[in-house]
C-alpha cells in the first residue's frame, strides 16, 4: 500500500512524464491509490484518454479503475526566481487564458532551452537539441520539451551523477542562466481564481531561502505570505525533497512540519504530492514513486475546496 493514498502532484507524457494518462491511472490503481492529481507543466489537463484503441472520458476510465482524478495544471512562474510553481485545480479549462498561456510557454521554452543546450555544448558537453528531442527513447516534439529533460540528458551523458545534480550545476553556473519568460505568480493565482479554480504552491522549499521579488530581497516565508495575501488557496506540505534538487539540510518530514507551522493557519489546503514522472521507465536513478508523498484520504474527504473540484 502507498504511504499516502492521495497524491495530488503527478505528471504524464503530456509534459515531462513518461506514462500516458491512462497508464498513470492504471499504475495508481495497481498501487492502491484512491486519488491522484494530474498536474502537467503549463498545459491543460486531458478530459479523455486512449483505452483499448478508442477515446473514453477520463473520469469514466478512472472510476472504472477505482481512482478519483483531479484535473490540474502546474504553471511555472517568476522569470527571476527558480521553482515557483502554482498548481491549479478545477478551472474552466476552455477559458482563453489557457490558450494564451500555452502559446506563450511554447515560445519561451524553445528559445531558452535551445540556447542552454548550445551553452553546455560550448563548454565541452556532447549534447544536441536532437538528443533532447529523442528523450531517451521516448521521442517528443519541440512543443513538449521540459528543462528537466536537459538535466536528464546531462546525467545520461555522464556530466552529472543524477538529473538533480545536473540541475544544481546549471543553477550554479552564471553562463547557463538563460531565463525564459514566465508569468508572475500573483497573476497566475488571480487567473486560476477568475476561471473558477483553486491554487496551490508546489514544493515551496525548492524556492531559495531568500528571493529578489519586485526589486526587493526578502525571505522565502515573506514571499509565500505575499502569495497567500494575493489569494493562494494552498501549499504543499509532504513532498519528495530527498529525490529532487533540494539543497538544504532539513528532512522532508521537518519541512512538512515547518510548512504547517508557518503557513497552515493562513491557507485552506495543506496539500502533498510525489511529483511522479514515471522516471523508472527511463532508467533515472532514485525515481519518485506515486504515493510516497501526498495527503490522507480523510483529509481529502474533509477538505471543502478539494471536494469542490472533484469531477471538474
Amino acid at each position: 500500500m502507498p504511504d499516502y493514498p492521495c497524491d495530488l502532484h503527478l505528471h504524464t507524457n503530456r509534459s515531462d512524464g513518461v506514462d500516458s494518462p491512462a497508464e498513470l491511472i492504471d499504475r495508481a490503481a495497481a498501487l492502491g491509490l484512491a486519488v491522484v492529481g494530474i498536474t502537467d507543466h503549463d498545459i491543460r489537463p486531458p478530459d479523455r484518454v486512449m483505452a483499448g484503441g478508442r477515446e473514453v472520458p477520463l473520469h469514466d476510465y478512472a472510476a472504472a479503475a477505482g481512482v478519483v482524478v483531479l484535473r490540474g495544471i502546474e504553471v511555472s512562474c517568476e522569470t527571476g526566481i527558480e521553482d515557483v510553481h502554482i498548481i491549479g485545480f478545477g478551472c474552466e479549462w476552455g477559458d482563453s487564458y489557457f490558450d494564451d498561456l500555452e502559446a506563450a510557454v511554447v515560445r519561451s521554452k524553445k528559445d531558452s532551452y535551445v540556447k542552454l543546450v548550445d551553452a553546455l555544448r560550448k563548454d565541452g558537453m556532447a549534447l544536441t537539441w536532437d538528443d533532447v528531442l529523442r528523450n531517451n527513447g521516448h521521442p517528443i516534439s519541440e512543443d513538449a520539451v521540459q528543462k528537466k529533460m536537459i538535466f536528464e540528458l546531462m546525467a545520461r551523458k555522464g556530466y552529472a551523477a543524477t538529473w538533480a545534480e545536473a540541475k544544481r550545476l546549471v543553477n550554479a553556473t552564471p553562463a547557463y542562466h538563460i531565463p525564459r519568460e514566465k508569468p508572475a505568480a500573483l497573476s497566475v493565482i488571480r487567473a486560476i481564481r477568475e476561471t473558477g479554480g483553486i491554487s496551490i504552491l508546489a514544493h515551496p522549499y525548492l524556492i531559495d531561502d531568500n528571493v529578489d521579488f519586485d526589486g526587493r530581497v526578502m525571505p522565502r516565508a515573506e514571499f509565500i505570505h505575499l502569495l497567500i495575501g494575493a489569494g493562494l488557496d494552498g501549499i504543499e506540505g509532504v513532498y519528495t525533497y530527498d529525490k529532487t534538487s533540494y539543497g538544504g539540510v532539513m528532512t522532508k518530514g521537518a519541512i512538512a512540519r515547518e510548512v504547517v507551522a508557518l503557513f497552515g493557519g493562513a491557507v485552506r489546503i495543506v496539500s502533498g504530492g510525489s511529483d511522479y514522472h514515471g522516471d523508472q521507465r527511463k532508467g533515472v536513478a532514485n525515481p519518485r514513486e506515486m504515493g510516497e508523498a501526498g495527503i490522507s484520504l480523510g483529509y481529502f474527504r474533509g477538505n471543502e475546496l478539494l471536494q469542490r473540484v472533484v469531477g471538474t
Side-chain angles (χ1 to χ4, degrees):
M1 294 297 291
D3 295 333
Y4 294 90
C6 307
D7 187 334
L8 304 187
H9 187 164
L10 303 166
H11 296 277
T12 76
N13 60 3
R14 301 182 75 249
S15 61
D16 57 349
V18 178
D19 297 349
S20 70
E23 288 171 334
L24 185 147
I25 292 168
D26 292 344
R27 187 176 185 89
L31 291 171
L33 273 77
V35 183
V36 297
I38 293 179
T39 58
D40 281 310
H41 293 283
D42 306 308
I43 186 171
R44 284 169 285 198
D47 59 3
R48 303 180 73 80
V49 300
M50 289 297 299
R54 63 190 182 93
E55 281 194 344
V56 298
L58 179 144
H59 288 305
D60 291 352
Y61 185 84
V67 178
V68 172
V69 175
L70 302 189
R71 297 170 64 230
I73 188 172
E74 183 179 7
V75 183
S76 301
C77 306
E78 299 301 332
T79 298
I81 309 174
E82 285 294 318
D83 290 312
V84 181
H85 294 180
I86 303 293
I87 290 174
F89 289 120
C91 302
E92 173 47 63
W93 301 113
D95 192 278
S96 61
Y97 170 79
F98 296 104
D99 293 325
D100 297 340
L101 174 69
E102 290 178 3
V105 165
V106 167
R107 289 193 302 270
S108 67
K109 281 184 176 179
K110 182 180 177 183
D111 291 347
S112 172
Y113 298 166
V114 167
K115 291 175 182 176
L116 174 58
V117 171
D118 287 344
L120 294 168
R121 186 170 58 252
K122 288 176 182 176
D123 278 354
M125 299 187 199
L127 312 178
T128 69
W129 188 241
D130 283 343
D131 289 335
V132 177
L133 298 181
R134 282 192 286 269
N135 194 32
N136 197 28
H138 300 274
I140 54 170
S141 68
E142 290 187 331
D143 292 356
V145 172
Q146 303 290 331
K147 200 171 186 180
K148 180 171 176 281
M149 297 171 180
I150 300 174
F151 303 146
E152 290 172 352
L153 177 61
M154 292 169 66
R156 288 197 301 274
K157 293 275 191 174
Y159 301 114
T162 65
W163 72 264
E165 288 192 15
K167 179 179 177 179
R168 285 192 284 267
L169 170 64
V170 168
N171 288 346
T173 308
Y176 302 153
H177 293 179
I178 305 169
R180 71 174 181 86
E181 288 297 321
K182 301 176 187 176
L186 299 183
S187 72
V188 171
I189 292 167
R190 182 171 60 250
I192 288 172
R193 175 159 293 189
E194 289 176 350
T195 57
I198 62 173
S199 57
I200 298 169
L201 178 64
H203 42 63
Y205 280 46
L206 290 187
I207 301 171
D208 286 343
D209 291 347
N210 294 286
V211 301
D212 187 342
F213 179 70
D214 201 22
R216 182 165 65 89
V217 176
M218 64 182 66
R220 174 178 55 222
E222 183 178 350
F223 172 67
I224 292 173
H225 277 295
L226 285 176
L227 303 184
I228 294 171
L232 184 73
D233 295 298
I235 188 168
E236 271 184 350
V238 180
Y239 178 78
T240 47
Y241 288 101
D242 55 328
K243 295 185 176 183
T244 69
S245 59
Y246 172 66
V249 298
M250 296 176 68
T251 66
K252 60 183 179 181
I255 291 173
R257 291 188 292 273
E258 185 166 287
V259 166
V260 171
L262 292 178
F263 312 110
V267 296
R268 297 175 66 185
I269 305 167
V270 179
S271 187
S274 64
D275 208 354
Y276 168 83
H277 285 72
D279 287 341
Q280 296 87 340
R281 296 173 61 182
K282 292 196 288 187
V284 172
N286 198 26
R288 293 167 282 200
E289 180 61 272
M290 64 175 73
E292 68 175 289
I295 60 175
S296 71
L297 188 57
Y299 183 85
F300 173 76
R301 289 174 172 167
N303 187 277
E304 178 186 355
L305 286 187
L306 290 175
Q307 289 303 298
R308 195 186 83 193
V309 299
V310 171
T312 58

